[in-house]
Amino acid sequence: MKPKNETVRRQIIDAATDLIIETGIAGTSTVKVAKRINGAQSNIYSYFKSKEALIAGVFDYHQKLMTATLAPALEDATSPKALITSVASALFEFATTHPTSIQIIAAFRAQPSLRHQLPAIDENDVFTKLFGLFRCYQQDGLIKPIPAEFLAEATFSIIVNYCNAKLAGEAYTSVLDETTVAQLIADLVLLRA
Protein backbone atom coordinates (compact mmCIF):
# COMPACT_ATOMS: atom_id res chain seq x y z
CA MET A 1 0.00 0.00 0.00
CA LYS A 2 1.28 3.43 -0.96
CA PRO A 3 2.18 5.67 2.04
CA LYS A 4 -0.06 8.66 2.56
CA ASN A 5 1.30 12.10 1.75
CA GLU A 6 0.58 14.52 4.60
CA THR A 7 0.74 17.50 2.22
CA VAL A 8 -2.01 16.02 0.04
CA ARG A 9 -4.08 15.13 3.11
CA ARG A 10 -3.80 18.73 4.28
CA GLN A 11 -4.78 20.03 0.81
CA ILE A 12 -7.89 17.86 1.01
CA ILE A 13 -8.72 19.16 4.50
CA ASP A 14 -8.15 22.77 3.38
CA ALA A 15 -10.31 22.35 0.28
CA ALA A 16 -13.10 20.70 2.28
CA THR A 17 -12.83 23.47 4.88
CA ASP A 18 -13.24 26.15 2.22
CA LEU A 19 -16.23 24.34 0.73
CA ILE A 20 -17.90 23.95 4.12
CA ILE A 21 -17.48 27.69 4.73
CA GLU A 22 -18.81 28.51 1.24
CA THR A 23 -21.59 25.94 0.77
CA GLY A 24 -22.19 24.39 4.18
CA ILE A 25 -21.62 20.83 5.31
CA ALA A 26 -24.43 19.42 3.15
CA GLY A 27 -23.10 21.25 0.08
CA THR A 28 -19.64 19.73 0.42
CA SER A 29 -18.83 16.58 -1.54
CA THR A 30 -15.79 14.52 -2.41
CA VAL A 31 -16.35 15.45 -6.08
CA LYS A 32 -16.17 19.16 -5.25
CA VAL A 33 -13.12 18.65 -3.04
CA ALA A 34 -11.36 16.71 -5.82
CA LYS A 35 -12.12 19.52 -8.28
CA ARG A 36 -10.86 22.10 -5.81
CA ILE A 37 -7.47 20.35 -5.51
CA ASN A 38 -7.37 19.42 -9.21
CA GLY A 39 -7.26 15.75 -8.29
CA ALA A 40 -9.25 12.58 -8.74
CA GLN A 41 -12.14 11.72 -6.46
CA SER A 42 -10.51 8.32 -5.90
CA ASN A 43 -7.54 10.15 -4.36
CA ILE A 44 -9.85 11.62 -1.72
CA TYR A 45 -10.99 8.09 -0.86
CA SER A 46 -7.41 6.94 -0.36
CA TYR A 47 -7.26 9.40 2.56
CA PHE A 48 -10.86 9.30 3.78
CA LYS A 49 -13.16 6.27 3.43
CA SER A 50 -16.27 8.35 2.77
CA LYS A 51 -17.66 11.86 2.68
CA GLU A 52 -18.61 11.39 6.34
CA ALA A 53 -15.02 10.44 7.22
CA LEU A 54 -13.77 13.51 5.35
CA ILE A 55 -16.21 15.78 7.16
CA ALA A 56 -15.18 14.22 10.50
CA GLY A 57 -11.53 14.71 9.53
CA VAL A 58 -12.14 18.41 8.88
CA PHE A 59 -13.74 18.85 12.31
CA ASP A 60 -10.98 16.86 14.00
CA TYR A 61 -8.27 18.97 12.36
CA HIS A 62 -9.80 22.26 13.48
CA GLN A 63 -10.65 21.02 16.96
CA LYS A 64 -7.03 19.93 17.46
CA LEU A 65 -5.92 23.45 16.57
CA MET A 66 -8.33 24.83 19.17
CA THR A 67 -7.34 22.42 21.93
CA ALA A 68 -3.66 23.19 21.30
CA THR A 69 -4.50 26.83 22.02
CA LEU A 70 -6.65 25.98 25.06
CA ALA A 71 -4.22 23.57 26.77
CA PRO A 72 -1.85 26.24 28.16
CA ALA A 73 -4.84 28.27 29.40
CA LEU A 74 -5.82 25.45 31.74
CA GLU A 75 -2.39 25.52 33.38
CA ASP A 76 -3.08 29.12 34.49
CA ALA A 77 -6.32 28.16 36.24
CA THR A 78 -5.68 28.93 39.90
CA SER A 79 -9.30 29.94 40.57
CA PRO A 80 -12.65 29.83 38.76
CA LYS A 81 -12.24 33.47 37.70
CA ALA A 82 -8.72 32.76 36.41
CA LEU A 83 -10.05 29.72 34.53
CA ILE A 84 -12.81 31.73 32.83
CA THR A 85 -10.47 34.61 31.99
CA SER A 86 -7.74 32.31 30.71
CA VAL A 87 -10.07 30.17 28.59
CA ALA A 88 -11.82 33.24 27.17
CA SER A 89 -8.47 34.82 26.34
CA ALA A 90 -7.28 31.63 24.63
CA LEU A 91 -10.50 31.39 22.62
CA PHE A 92 -10.19 35.05 21.57
CA GLU A 93 -6.61 34.36 20.46
CA PHE A 94 -7.73 31.24 18.59
CA ALA A 95 -10.58 33.06 16.87
CA THR A 96 -8.20 35.84 15.82
CA THR A 97 -5.44 33.57 14.53
CA HIS A 98 -7.72 30.85 13.12
CA PRO A 99 -11.00 32.53 12.09
CA THR A 100 -11.83 29.75 9.64
CA SER A 101 -11.34 27.10 12.32
CA ILE A 102 -13.70 28.85 14.72
CA GLN A 103 -16.31 29.07 11.94
CA ILE A 104 -15.92 25.36 11.14
CA ILE A 105 -16.28 24.30 14.78
CA ALA A 106 -19.31 26.57 15.20
CA ALA A 107 -20.87 25.19 11.99
CA PHE A 108 -20.55 21.63 13.26
CA ARG A 109 -21.87 22.49 16.71
CA ALA A 110 -24.86 24.22 15.09
CA GLN A 111 -25.95 21.01 13.34
CA PRO A 112 -28.13 18.95 15.70
CA SER A 113 -27.77 15.93 13.40
CA LEU A 114 -23.97 16.07 13.69
CA ARG A 115 -23.56 16.83 17.38
CA HIS A 116 -23.83 13.18 18.41
CA GLN A 117 -21.01 12.33 15.96
CA LEU A 118 -18.60 14.84 17.49
CA PRO A 119 -15.96 13.50 19.87
CA ALA A 120 -17.07 13.06 23.47
CA ILE A 121 -15.47 15.11 26.23
CA ASP A 122 -13.63 12.09 27.59
CA GLU A 123 -12.00 11.51 24.18
CA ASN A 124 -9.93 14.68 24.54
CA ASP A 125 -7.47 15.36 27.37
CA VAL A 126 -7.93 19.14 27.23
CA PHE A 127 -11.72 18.94 27.47
CA THR A 128 -11.54 16.25 30.15
CA LYS A 129 -9.36 18.58 32.24
CA LEU A 130 -11.52 21.65 31.53
CA PHE A 131 -14.76 19.93 32.49
CA GLY A 132 -13.09 18.33 35.49
CA LEU A 133 -12.13 21.80 36.73
CA PHE A 134 -15.67 23.06 36.09
CA ARG A 135 -17.15 20.20 38.11
CA CYS A 136 -14.69 20.70 40.99
CA TYR A 137 -15.53 24.40 41.13
CA GLN A 138 -19.24 23.54 41.03
CA GLN A 139 -18.81 21.15 43.96
CA ASP A 140 -17.08 23.96 45.84
CA GLY A 141 -20.07 26.24 45.12
CA LEU A 142 -18.06 28.64 42.96
CA ILE A 143 -19.61 27.94 39.55
CA LYS A 144 -23.34 27.87 38.93
CA PRO A 145 -24.88 24.39 39.23
CA ILE A 146 -25.82 24.26 35.55
CA PRO A 147 -24.47 21.40 33.41
CA ALA A 148 -20.84 22.22 32.63
CA GLU A 149 -21.37 21.29 28.98
CA PHE A 150 -24.07 23.95 28.66
CA LEU A 151 -21.92 26.60 30.35
CA ALA A 152 -19.02 25.77 28.04
CA GLU A 153 -21.31 25.91 25.01
CA ALA A 154 -22.67 29.29 26.11
CA THR A 155 -19.12 30.59 26.61
CA PHE A 156 -18.06 29.35 23.17
CA SER A 157 -21.16 30.86 21.53
CA ILE A 158 -20.61 34.28 23.10
CA ILE A 159 -16.99 34.33 21.95
CA VAL A 160 -17.84 33.11 18.44
CA ASN A 161 -20.58 35.72 18.07
CA TYR A 162 -18.31 38.51 19.29
CA CYS A 163 -15.40 37.46 17.05
CA ASN A 164 -17.65 37.05 14.00
CA ALA A 165 -19.10 40.51 14.64
CA LYS A 166 -15.55 41.91 14.81
CA LEU A 167 -14.65 40.18 11.53
CA ALA A 168 -17.78 41.63 9.93
CA GLY A 169 -16.91 45.10 11.25
CA GLU A 170 -20.18 45.50 13.12
CA ALA A 171 -20.37 48.89 14.78
CA TYR A 172 -20.92 47.75 18.37
CA THR A 173 -17.57 45.95 18.47
CA SER A 174 -15.79 49.30 18.54
CA VAL A 175 -17.22 49.94 22.02
CA LEU A 176 -17.08 46.35 23.28
CA ASP A 177 -13.71 44.81 24.08
CA GLU A 178 -12.56 41.30 24.99
CA THR A 179 -12.26 42.19 28.68
CA THR A 180 -15.91 43.21 28.81
CA VAL A 181 -16.96 40.04 26.98
CA ALA A 182 -14.85 37.92 29.36
CA GLN A 183 -16.54 39.65 32.33
CA LEU A 184 -19.96 38.89 30.81
CA ILE A 185 -18.94 35.23 30.61
CA ALA A 186 -17.68 35.27 34.20
CA ASP A 187 -21.00 36.77 35.33
CA LEU A 188 -22.84 34.03 33.44
CA VAL A 189 -20.78 31.17 34.88
CA LEU A 190 -19.57 32.15 38.34
CA LEU A 191 -21.66 32.26 41.50
CA ARG A 192 -19.27 34.86 42.87
CA ALA A 193 -16.18 36.54 41.46
Side-chain angles (χ1 to χ4, degrees):
M1 187 167 149
K2 186 176 156 185
K4 304 257 191 290
N5 180 326
E6 191 54 38
T7 302
V8 172
R9 185 180 192 286
R10 178 64 192 276
Q11 288 173 336
I12 293 168
I13 293 284
D14 290 346
T17 295
D18 292 343
L19 284 166
I20 290 169
I21 296 292
E22 293 166 19
T23 65
I25 295 168
T28 301
S29 70
T30 56
V31 171
K32 290 178 183 177
V33 172
K35 278 185 178 178
R36 185 68 59 110
I37 65 167
N38 296 317
Q41 184 181 15
S42 60
N43 196 31
I44 307 297
Y45 290 121
S46 65
Y47 290 85
F48 300 96
K49 294 187 275 192
S50 62
K51 173 190 171 180
E52 292 74 22
L54 171 59
I55 298 298
V58 169
F59 179 82
D60 185 57
Y61 171 79
H62 292 286
Q63 181 169 279
K64 282 181 180 169
L65 289 176
M66 183 175 74
T67 56
T69 303
L70 281 176
L74 301 183
E75 302 307 319
D76 298 335
T78 55
S79 68
K81 175 78 171 180
L83 175 66
I84 301 304
T85 302
S86 186
V87 167
S89 178
L91 285 172
F92 285 129
E93 175 190 334
F94 178 70
T96 301
T97 58
H98 300 285
T100 300
S101 292
I102 206 87
Q103 290 174 23
I104 288 290
I105 294 166
F108 275 78
R109 304 251 357 121
Q111 296 288 323
S113 62
L114 291 177
R115 287 174 75 108
H116 72 281
Q117 297 173 7
L118 300 178
I121 291 166
D122 61 1
E123 295 177 51
N124 181 290
D125 291 341
V126 172
F127 291 134
T128 299
K129 184 172 183 175
L130 175 63
F131 286 98
L133 287 168
F134 259 66
R135 288 185 183 101
C136 284
Y137 290 141
Q138 283 178 323
Q139 289 171 353
D140 293 342
L142 302 171
I143 289 182
K144 293 179 181 168
I146 297 170
E149 297 82 1
F150 183 79
L151 293 174
E153 187 74 31
T155 297
F156 182 76
S157 294
I158 289 168
I159 291 171
V160 167
N161 288 335
Y162 173 74
C163 291
N164 284 340
K166 273 183 73 171
L167 281 173
E170 293 183 17
Y172 71 84
T173 61
S174 65
V175 295
L176 184 63
D177 62 12
E178 292 176 7
T179 304
T180 305
V181 175
Q183 184 58 52
L184 172 70
I185 293 166
D187 293 343
L188 171 75
V189 172
L190 300 175
L191 280 171
R192 52 186 180 243

